[in-house]
Every structure is written in structure tokens, then in C-alpha cells.
Amino acid sequence: MKIEIIKCLQDNYSYLLIEKENNYACVIDPSESDPIIKYIENNNIKLKFILNTHHHFDHVGGNKYLKKKYNSKVIGFKKDKDRIPEIDICLDDKETWKNEKFEAKIYHIPGHTSGHICYHFFKQNILFTGDTLFSLGCGKIFEGTYEQMFSSLQLIKSFPKDTKIYCGHEYTLKNSNFCLKYDKNNSALKEKILLVKENLKKGLPSIPSTLQDELNCNIFLRSKDIETFSKLRDLKDNF
Ligand code: ZN
Ligand code: FE
């Protein structure tokens, strides 16, 4: 299975998961269709599935056109079926979805939105976290409560430490400034920042991260209790 990172809009990432033997692919969170079509056409990909983590425009913007063009199936959270454009397959919390060689378990992780989910491709141990967990940050709480976001992050913390984290945006460098301000003596964080800067300088994404890196460096995952977490989330909103 190959993962192609596709830059979309300003700072979004969509991801193509490609099965090598037949070029079947899933796209995760197509913000827009053009950059994805470009890759698909250049590489002879057959887009079978469109997977959404949540209903925000910058994650579903390409659904309609891609579905129409490639006859793909749109997949999303059951309870968000009225907000995910063109949804075909509705999945429930902790359901495992399997088709062709693609196999992922989904988890409901509310907070950023009430219907946010993540996709764990457990065989490859990769996790698509949308706008819930970013590298060195977490999503804004738009629809949920601090408690929900905190417990969604706790759930993510329980995945294997070598899980590769693919999130919805390239916010890592901006996030790192916040982490550093409130976690000055974290040497793992400082090392991570050097690597991130090196990648970005070369025009490469800072993604994927690993859960281990995030556990070591991400101040929101390092928050021990809901009070600390909530305070940091407020501070970040005004950072
Ligand atoms: Zn969002
Ligand atoms: Fe987003």
C-alpha cells in the first residue's frame, strides 16, 4: 500500500492510499478535486473510495465531482450522513470497513465537530486524524466540549506508539511555536522542530508524524488532566 500526500487549498492535505497491484485507491478528505484528479490521471489510478473524517468544506469539497467523475463510493460517519456530501456508505463507531484490500476501523472522536471520526488502517498501522489531532497540536473545538476533545485525544493515545499519524493540515511549524512557549525544556520537542524545519525547507510535508513523537512533543497530548488541557486550548485560540 502506497500513500501519496496531495497538497490542497492553502494548507490542507488529502491522502491517496494506493493498492500497488491494481492501482485501486481511496482518497481521504479530498479538499478539492483538481489536485487529486491531476495525480490520478498521471498515474493511472482507479479511485474507488472517498473517505471523510468530518463534514467541513476543506475536507469534503472534492466529494461530489470526484464521485461523479470516477463513480467512487463516499464513506463517512453514520450520524453525520446529512452533512457529508454524496455519502454512500455510513459507518458506525468502532465499525471495521473492508473492501478490496482496504481495511480500516473507524472511531468516533468528537470535539472539533460532533461527528468527527478517524480511520485506523490497522494492518499498516496508519491513522488519519483529520482535524482532531494535528502534529504538535489539536483541532479547535467548534461543536463539542473540552471533555469530548480531551477524551478523543485519550483514545488516540491508546493506539500503538509506532502508529503513523496523517492529519488534515500542515500546521506543524505554527503549532511548534505554541508547544515551545509552554514546554520550554522539552528536548524531544526541540529535536522534532529541527526535523520539521528541515522537511519544510525542502518543500516536503512534516507529515506523517508518529504517535510516539506526538506523545513526547505535543503539549495537548501531554496534558495530564482536563483542566490543563482546557486552559492550553484557550491559550492556543488566542496565540
Ligand atoms: Zn475541520
Ligand atoms: Fe480542516
Side-chain angles (χ1 to χ4, degrees):
M1 202 83 77
K2 180 186 168 188
I3 304 178
E4 188 64 31
I5 303 179
I6 317 265
K7 289 186 184 188
C8 291
L9 304 175
Q10 287 284 9
D11 49 31
N12 275 85
Y13 287 132
S14 297
Y15 301 104
L16 273 169
L17 225 71
I18 305 158
E19 228 183 82
K20 279 182 196 150
E21 58 201 62
N22 50 16
N23 269 354
Y24 286 177
C26 300
V27 66
I28 289 95
D29 282 354
S31 317
E32 51 179 342
S33 50
D34 282 358
I36 294 159
I37 290 170
K38 198 175 154 201
Y39 187 88
I40 285 177
E41 303 291 321
N42 286 337
N43 294 277
N44 224 356
I45 302 292
K46 297 167 199 85
L47 186 66
K48 291 283 182 182
F49 304 102
I50 298 165
L51 278 54
N52 296 128
T53 61
H54 65 297
H55 75 284
H56 283 159
F57 177 77
D58 60 314
H59 298 257
V60 302
N63 277 21
K64 192 173 178 188
Y65 194 73
L66 290 171
K67 174 174 168 171
K68 199 171 157 218
K69 190 168 169 73
Y70 299 112
N71 200 22
S72 325
K73 293 269 181 269
V74 175
I75 298 171
F77 187 45
K78 195 173 159 186
K79 289 188 182 129
D80 242 355
K81 65 178 190 330
D82 298 327
R83 302 199 292 184
I84 304 281
E86 306 283 331
I87 194 164
D88 298 296
I89 300 169
C90 299
L91 299 177
D92 214 342
D93 185 25
K94 304 207 168 56
E95 187 172 340
T96 299
W97 168 74
K98 194 179 173 190
N99 209 314
E100 303 294 339
K101 293 243 170 74
F102 305 112
E103 199 170 357
K105 187 166 177 181
I106 73 137
Y107 295 84
H108 183 213
I109 46 168
H112 178 68
T113 67
S114 58
H116 200 301
I117 57 173
C118 60
Y119 293 86
H120 186 219
F121 285 77
F122 44 89
K123 284 187 177 159
Q124 295 82 16
N125 200 16
I126 53 182
L127 185 67
F128 295 96
T129 57
D131 287 358
T132 298
L133 177 69
F134 294 123
S135 184
L136 304 183
C138 76
K140 282 191 178 161
I141 299 168
F142 283 125
E143 294 177 355
T145 61
Y146 292 97
E147 284 79 8
Q148 281 179 325
M149 190 56 143
F150 185 69
S151 79
S152 294
L153 294 177
Q154 299 311 301
L155 186 141
I156 292 174
K157 279 166 85 165
S158 71
F159 282 90
K161 292 193 174 29
D162 60 347
T163 305
K164 288 204 173 78
I165 306 286
Y166 289 83
C167 58
H169 292 265
E170 182 57 82
Y171 289 160
T172 316
L173 190 61
K174 248 164 88 184
N175 289 339
S176 76
N177 295 327
F178 181 80
C179 287
L180 201 57
K181 179 165 179 186
Y182 295 98
D183 197 6
K184 282 187 193 65
N185 300 317
N186 185 335
S187 55
L189 171 63
K190 288 176 189 165
E191 262 174 55
K192 171 96 175 162
I193 292 173
L194 288 178
L195 272 172
V196 166
K197 283 186 174 162
E198 231 172 78
N199 278 329
L200 294 176
K201 210 169 145 188
K202 287 185 221 154
L204 298 172
S206 67
I207 307 304
S209 185
T210 62
L211 184 57
Q212 183 69 71
D213 273 9
E214 297 307 315
L215 291 169
N216 291 340
C217 307
N218 185 326
I219 199 164
F220 294 99
L221 286 193
R222 286 163 60 74
S223 303
K224 295 239 158 38
D225 50 56
I226 178 76
E227 289 75 26
T228 314
F229 170 76
S230 306
K231 193 167 177 202
L232 285 167
R233 191 53 264 176
D234 285 344
L235 286 166
K236 181 72 177 8
D237 283 342
N238 299 301
F239 184 66

